[in-house]
Amino acid sequence: MAGAIIENMSTKKLVIVGVILLLFQAFSFMVGGLIAPSPTTAVHYLATKCVDTVKHHQSTKWFMPWGPNQCDKIRDFDEAMAKKIEANNIVFAVHIPLPNKEMSPWFQFMLVILQFDIAFKMYNQIEDGALATIDVGLAYRDDTLSEWTEMAHSIEQRKLSCNFTTTKTYENEGRYYECDLLPFMELGNVAHKYYLLNIRLPVSERKKINMGIGEIKDIRLVGIHQNGGFTKVWFAMKTFLTPSILIIMVWYWRRITLMTRPPVLLEKVIFALGLCMTFINIPVEWFSVGFNWTWMLLFGDIRQGIFYAMLLSFWIIFCGEHLMDQMERNHFSIYWKQVGPIVFGSFCLFIFDMCERGVQLKNPFYSIWASDVGTELAMAFIIVAGICACLYFLFLCFMVFQVFRNISGKRSSLPAMSKARRLHYEGLIFRFKFLMLVTLTCAAMTVIFFIISQVNEGHWHWGDYTVQVNSAFFTGIYGMWNLYVFAIMFLYAPSHKRYGDEQSSGDFAHQDCIIFAHLLFSKFFKLCQVGC
């Protein structure tokens, strides 16, 4: 792939391109940190204990915790015992959202976490491996006057993992266990304004249902959804970046087709990387605002998996094509040992995702982690994917080491080569070192910002401004990988310059810099106008 733009572009022009890309990188971080709100919001709910007075329970009856048609309520289970109300007649009702609020399609998804408040009793302790059987129904409506429509119903089991930190004596009765949070529900789309959860804990001594789970006092839920403001900023970024990558991709392939030779493997792989970046950028999420597309989370995972698999494959092939002493090049078949683990690991993660989010398309209460078999299966897929990642890392390190070893060997013989051959090898060395530096910088920034987003409280105060670190992480890293792909396709496109012909170079690289700088700044000002 001799004669790329990066080999023939002057240092001044290369610095200009680098500064423009850094400005857009800084802008992508500022969009998330200063404009977008926090990516998600967590809302805490305490279930209301309703009484089902019907002798034969009607599955079509929904119990509202508040409002004009609210249910008959009890304060606690002591009141239930005093009124001789059986456990099977108690329904835990949760209305999402809280009173005087509405859900919105801009929230994109809703994840609900369950936690039991279980009191310690000497005669009713939690047994080892205790399973809580939950009969749960989900309903929705879009105004406060219409009837509730059932959305899902299921009987689920969740394994309790609780710890009592003090001594189990009569004096400590009434203290609460410390129980782990349990996955409860996940919706891939928030298409309705109001949701209602009715939860029952059926008890049957004969069938050993909900026996040995302790004395449950309350049920608490945590609802997590994406912030609407962040969703709008995220969609705007996708809408802006899609044509940017699409334009550079079309331009890149046009440059290749103008060559008299057929495209080489590395050029095809770079083009495929641009296709995958365009695929992940296409803002199909706009349709989820108007349509009840519950599969958007699964579709998003698939798009990310395809891009990262292509990115990892690109690094392998890029290193392989720069092994200067390697005789067999420009053939995809010679990389099957390195690319194979990437494909297999990606397939394992895809199967894992289908086993959970695929099933959740029909049953939002399903969780692969709820059973021992599901947990072992999920861990098996994750371990296999981890092994493939380790093998990939070893392969990549070995190939990088080989390339640098060859670089050291070639440097001593460069002065004795002809000018064209010397320029060819100098171009290979410069291209490889440049990509390794940029790649390591992008990977380091991804890791650093991920760690920062995990260890801080989510925002920083900077004078009169509040910087949303988590939002900056999402928008900044997303923009960074787009700029990475943009730079790869621009700088590694074939140049029309020829070795030994500096005066007749035609200034194609200079013209391309001006054209793309004009396109980028025009899109930047349009985005600013829309924001204003």
Side-chain angles (χ1 to χ4, degrees):
M1 190 181 159
I5 288 178
I6 189 175
E7 298 175 28
N8 300 298
M9 182 181 291
S10 65
T11 304
K12 179 180 178 181
K13 296 171 185 175
L14 187 61
V15 169
I16 292 174
V17 174
V19 170
I20 293 174
L21 294 176
L22 285 176
L23 288 175
F24 274 95
Q25 179 62 76
F27 177 72
S28 65
F29 276 109
M30 288 190 294
V31 165
L34 301 178
I35 299 177
S38 176
T40 57
T41 295
V43 182
H44 295 264
Y45 301 93
L46 176 63
T48 300
K49 291 177 276 292
C50 297
V51 179
D52 186 359
T53 57
V54 181
K55 184 176 181 180
H56 301 288
H57 306 306
Q58 298 179 8
S59 58
T60 57
K61 182 179 180 180
W62 296 96
F63 295 86
M64 269 288 291
W66 43 264
N69 298 318
Q70 59 183 283
C71 62
D72 297 330
K73 294 178 285 188
I74 57 174
R75 292 188 303 273
D76 49 40
F77 285 93
D78 292 334
E79 180 181 349
M81 294 179 63
K83 295 182 178 180
K84 296 182 180 180
I85 300 173
E86 298 181 358
N88 290 326
N89 292 331
I90 297 176
V91 180
F92 295 87
V94 177
H95 186 280
I96 301 176
L98 295 172
N100 301 321
K101 295 183 180 296
E102 293 181 357
M103 302 298 284
S104 168
W106 291 102
F107 293 164
Q108 290 293 289
F109 69 89
M110 180 166 58
L111 176 67
V112 180
I113 306 298
L114 171 69
Q115 185 176 30
F116 289 113
D117 287 348
I118 304 178
F120 170 73
K121 293 291 184 180
M122 288 294 293
Y123 65 88
N124 188 11
Q125 300 184 29
I126 299 177
E127 299 177 356
D128 293 336
L131 288 176
T133 301
I134 306 170
D135 184 350
V136 57
L138 174 67
Y140 69 87
R141 66 182 181 184
D142 291 310
D143 60 75
T144 57
L145 300 178
S146 61
E147 295 293 327
W148 291 99
T149 302
E150 182 175 297
M151 185 174 180
H153 181 267
S154 180
I155 297 178
E156 299 290 330
Q157 288 186 329
R158 296 292 186 265
K159 187 175 181 179
L160 299 181
S161 179
C162 300
N163 183 32
F164 194 66
T165 56
T166 58
T167 307
K168 294 182 178 180
T169 60
Y170 285 101
E171 290 76 13
N172 291 322
E173 282 191 343
R175 293 178 178 267
Y176 286 93
Y177 286 90
E178 293 182 359
C179 296
D180 293 343
L181 299 175
L182 302 173
F184 186 60
M185 183 185 74
E186 185 172 10
L187 294 177
N189 186 269
V190 187
H192 306 285
K193 294 181 179 179
Y194 308 105
Y195 293 88
L196 179 64
L197 283 167
N198 280 182
I199 304 170
R200 299 175 185 266
L201 299 175
V203 177
S204 175
E205 294 184 10
R206 182 175 60 86
K207 297 181 179 180
K208 302 297 182 181
I209 297 177
N210 284 333
M211 304 301 296
I213 62 172
E215 187 173 307
I216 296 177
K217 293 292 188 179
D218 282 302
I219 293 180
R220 299 180 185 273
L221 300 179
V222 180
I224 302 172
H225 60 78
Q226 187 165 293
N227 276 328
F230 178 82
T231 303
K232 295 175 182 178
V233 172
W234 188 255
F235 287 6
M237 281 196 68
K238 279 178 166 284
T239 305
F240 166 72
L241 290 171
T242 298
S244 303
I245 298 298
L246 186 60
I247 291 172
I248 187 68
M249 187 176 64
V250 172
W251 171 86
Y252 172 80
W253 192 248
R254 180 178 176 274
R255 301 275 297 202
I256 292 176
T257 56
L258 291 176
M259 305 291 289
T260 56
R261 57 167 176 79
V264 298
L265 175 62
L266 188 54
E267 292 170 340
K268 295 177 182 178
V269 172
I270 292 177
F271 182 72
L273 183 64
L275 282 175
C276 293
M277 192 77 255
T278 303
F279 181 55
I280 200 175
N281 281 341
I282 297 175
V284 295
E285 290 86 352
W286 283 110
F287 294 101
S288 66
V289 178
F291 299 93
N292 187 14
W293 288 356
T294 58
W295 42 268
M296 286 304 300
L297 285 178
L298 179 62
F299 183 62
D301 290 345
I302 293 174
R303 290 199 295 178
Q304 290 186 31
I306 292 174
F307 170 72
Y308 285 119
M310 189 66 241
L311 182 65
L312 298 179
S313 301
F314 163 72
W315 289 338
I316 286 289
I317 295 174
F318 186 89
C319 292
E321 293 297 291
H322 282 76
L323 289 175
M324 302 174 194
D325 295 330
Q326 185 174 321
M327 300 303 295
E328 294 184 5
R329 291 194 302 167
N330 201 28
H331 295 289
F332 185 78
S333 57
I334 67 174
Y335 296 103
W336 70 270
K337 290 182 180 179
Q338 295 88 348
V339 178
I342 299 174
V343 176
F344 186 70
S346 301
F347 180 75
C348 289
L349 292 178
F350 171 73
I351 296 298
F352 166 72
D353 214 28
M354 288 297 297
C355 288
E356 183 159 40
R357 284 188 169 163
V359 178
Q360 286 174 347
L361 296 178
K362 293 294 184 182
N363 179 15
F365 303 104
Y366 174 80
S367 174
I368 195 173
W369 305 97
S371 63
D372 293 335
V373 176
T375 301
E376 292 175 359
L377 183 63
M379 289 302 299
F381 282 128
I382 294 175
I383 291 172
V384 170
I387 292 174
C388 292
C390 293
L391 291 176
Y392 168 82
F393 181 73
L394 293 175
F395 279 135
L396 185 62
C397 291
F398 175 70
M399 296 186 75
V400 171
F401 170 76
Q402 280 187 311
V403 175
F404 276 106
R405 185 183 62 181
N406 288 346
I407 288 175
S408 300
K410 290 294 181 183
R411 280 193 177 279
S412 59
S413 58
L414 284 179
M417 295 181 179
S418 63
K419 184 175 183 181
R421 190 170 182 82
R422 177 167 52 84
L423 289 174
H424 170 68
Y425 280 114
E426 286 179 347
L428 288 175
I429 293 170
F430 178 69
R431 280 195 329 219
F432 183 79
K433 287 189 172 181
F434 177 83
L435 181 70
M436 287 297 102
L437 178 62
V438 174
T439 301
L440 289 175
T441 302
C442 292
M445 289 182 64
T446 303
V447 174
I448 290 171
F449 274 89
F450 176 76
I451 294 174
I452 291 176
S453 66
Q454 297 299 310
V455 301
N456 78 94
E457 67 275 12
H459 60 271
W460 291 341
H461 294 287
W462 183 23
D464 295 333
Y465 298 97
T466 299
V467 180
Q468 295 291 340
V469 179
N470 292 339
S471 297
F473 167 75
F474 283 108
T475 59
I477 298 303
Y478 176 63
M480 182 188 68
W481 286 114
N482 272 274
L483 292 172
Y484 177 85
V485 174
F486 185 97
I488 291 297
M489 287 192 290
F490 175 66
L491 296 174
Y492 293 91
S495 173
H496 292 284
K497 280 189 176 182
R498 295 292 181 265
Y499 296 121
D501 190 14
E502 291 83 3
Q503 300 300 324
S504 61
S505 61
D507 287 336
F508 281 99
H510 177 64
Q511 295 173 9
D512 291 328
C513 286
I514 296 176
I515 293 171
F516 278 94
H518 174 72
L519 288 173
L520 290 173
F521 278 112
S522 64
K523 288 182 176 296
F524 172 75
F525 286 121
K526 286 181 181 179
L527 184 64
C528 290
Q529 291 174 0
V530 173
C532 294

